[in-house]
Amino acid sequence: MPQFRLRYVVPDLPSTDEVIPYLRRIDETNWYSNFGPMEQLFREELAKLFFPGLNARHIATACSGALAIETALIAHGLAQGARVLMPSYTFVATASAVVRAGYVPIFADIDLRTLALDPAGAGHLARILGCSAVVPVGVAGMSLPTAAWEDFAAETGIAVIIDAAAGLGNQTISPLLTLAFSLHATKPFGIGEGGLVVSAREEIVTRARVATNFGLDQGRGLFCGTNAKMSEYAAAVGLAQLKRSDAIMARRKPILKAYRDALAARVPEVQLLTPAESNPANLIVMLPQPRVRELVADLAAAGIESRRLYVPPVHRHPAYLGYQCAEPMVNGERMSTHSLSLPCHGAMTPADVDQIVSLIANVLD
Ligand SMILES: *Cc1c(COP(=O)(O)O)cnc(C)c1O
């Protein structure tokens, strides 16, 4: 591993001192898990900050984003072996959640403008392939078009569970959609490890919560669940982190703007796939030429870490070779040769952005 001067991601989490007041409350209650007072308060405060119109009963906590997706899928109670359409261009956790929930993933390609499933195209595929659910993914925390997916769910009765892992604060809610978020340290709102299931339908959220607690409802195993509960310690970090969310955003904003301005001024042929207005968690650019490998090497030589998302796409990972692709993955494959995710966080400066954009300009000459 080369030593990077500038890391791809730098977590922005509360300090020990910021967490201590909440830990003291745990000392007082002697309650460590199983939906204790910290977890309850965390959900109340999350609803106030991120989900206007919803309350704590519309949020279930989980111990990771992956388990949030899995328990959200379980909560929908599809038949075992039900087909679930999802993009191949995503993190492997989306696919593992589908398989572990007892369903069968079918992979579709993304739209290059949104890096997500196109609601019209994917909706058509889901219908003709007999899918019971669709799992669109908001790549890099970009928000998905809620109205289009809401209409699709209403017209078809096909469940829509959005993997909005990095999209907390960005992805809006609408009545028929179920959302899963990640609170991993590398996401914009990190607590270490954690996840959320959010829906305006309380019955879905209740079932997700039951799924995180072994499938037990008042001592009866209603369905096959797991143990994905959020501990009181994690919720304590979450409560401390809520107080920092504005400051985190304020540190990221100038960096997003610096990228937008520098790319437009110096390499207008490079496309910013994650527009600054969309408040993305990560920054992804598309080069006009397949020069990503050279760019990764040049950046690394300058001490700058970057990531190729998602290489390979999920359908080419050994664990998922056996599942069907609904169409050729032309756009997902193009991402691996033409696109790169660059550092974008509050621990860097506009001068770092200038250096990165210079390196991009050089590799394109
Ligand atoms: C981060 C991420 C996940 C997994 O979340 P964890 O909290 O790390 O389990 C799933 N899907 C996407 C798209 C992600 O970015």
Side-chain angles (χ1 to χ4, degrees):
M1 262 283 276
Q3 282 301 307
F4 292 109
R5 174 187 74 77
L6 181 60
R7 298 302 307 261
Y8 170 63
V9 172
V10 176
D12 195 339
L13 267 74
S15 68
T16 304
D17 286 341
E18 288 170 304
V19 180
I20 279 178
Y22 299 98
L23 295 182
R24 293 213 194 287
R25 291 204 222 164
I26 300 178
D27 290 345
E28 287 160 20
T29 58
N30 205 31
W31 194 336
Y32 299 95
S33 187
N34 294 58
F35 319 114
M38 292 287 120
E39 192 267 354
Q40 228 165 298
L41 184 59
F42 184 38
R43 282 187 288 113
E44 282 164 22
E45 298 294 325
L46 280 166
K48 277 186 217 158
L49 187 62
F50 293 119
F51 306 108
L54 301 190
N55 60 49
R57 292 191 308 279
H58 300 114
I59 301 174
T61 53
C63 59
S64 70
L67 268 302
I69 306 166
E70 184 177 326
T71 51
L73 285 160
I74 292 172
H76 277 267
L78 311 177
Q80 286 295 296
R83 296 168 153 210
V84 174
L85 193 78
M86 59 166 284
S88 157
Y89 184 78
T90 181
F91 187 47
V92 286
T94 321
S96 69
V98 170
V99 173
R100 292 172 57 82
Y103 312 142
V104 177
I106 297 182
F107 299 114
D109 201 13
I110 51 165
D111 181 328
L112 277 183
R113 285 162 307 174
T114 59
L115 303 184
L117 294 180
D118 161 55
H124 175 69
L125 286 174
R127 266 179 282 205
I128 61 174
L129 294 171
C131 294
S132 306
V134 180
V135 182
V137 178
V139 168
M142 286 195 290
S143 75
L144 298 180
T146 319
W149 284 113
E150 179 76 15
D151 290 347
F152 168 79
E155 279 163 28
T156 62
I158 295 175
V160 177
I161 298 102
I162 296 180
D163 173 354
L168 188 60
N170 220 10
Q171 178 63 56
T172 52
I173 299 295
S174 94
L176 287 178
L177 310 180
T178 303
L179 290 103
F181 296 97
S182 163
L183 307 177
H184 188 262
T186 55
K187 311 289 181 186
F189 186 95
I191 68 166
E193 293 277 8
L196 306 173
V197 179
V198 182
S199 171
R201 283 168 300 166
E202 239 182 276
E203 69 279 11
I204 293 284
V205 175
T206 302
R207 282 175 61 89
R209 181 171 303 123
V210 168
T212 66
N213 192 31
F214 311 99
L216 282 176
D217 182 28
Q218 298 177 1
R220 288 187 320 133
L222 284 193
F223 47 80
C224 178
T226 182
N227 182 359
K229 295 191 296 294
M230 175 176 283
S231 80
E232 289 289 279
Y233 290 115
V237 178
L239 284 164
Q241 183 69 318
L242 279 166
K243 294 217 149 65
R244 309 171 73 253
S245 65
D246 286 347
I248 294 172
M249 201 51 233
R251 281 190 278 276
R252 292 169 41 79
K253 270 232 164 85
I255 301 304
L256 287 163
K257 186 176 177 310
Y259 267 115
R260 188 189 56 195
D261 295 348
L263 288 167
R266 297 173 60 191
V267 276
E269 69 274 32
V270 172
Q271 201 189 342
L272 186 55
L273 294 176
T274 49
E277 322 69 84
S278 77
N279 187 14
N282 306 97
L283 196 114
I284 307 176
V285 292
M286 177 81 94
L287 307 182
Q289 303 145 17
R291 307 295 291 274
V292 164
R293 282 173 186 282
E294 294 98 307
L295 180 55
V296 169
D298 291 355
L299 288 164
I304 300 165
E305 186 182 24
S306 61
R307 285 279 159 80
R308 293 167 72 209
L309 300 179
Y310 289 100
V311 180
V314 174
H315 74 281
R316 288 208 277 113
H317 282 263
Y320 303 102
L321 289 175
Y323 297 100
Q324 185 186 344
C325 290
E327 56 189 342
M329 303 297 173
V330 181
N331 295 336
E333 296 287 1
R334 185 180 172 85
M335 293 295 287
S336 68
T337 49
H338 287 70
S339 85
L340 190 62
S341 188
L342 300 164
C344 176
H345 48 72
M348 59 193 285
T349 65
D352 293 324
V353 174
D354 273 340
Q355 189 189 1
I356 291 168
V357 174
S358 295
L359 289 163
I360 295 175
N362 286 342
V363 86
L364 294 179
D365 277 340

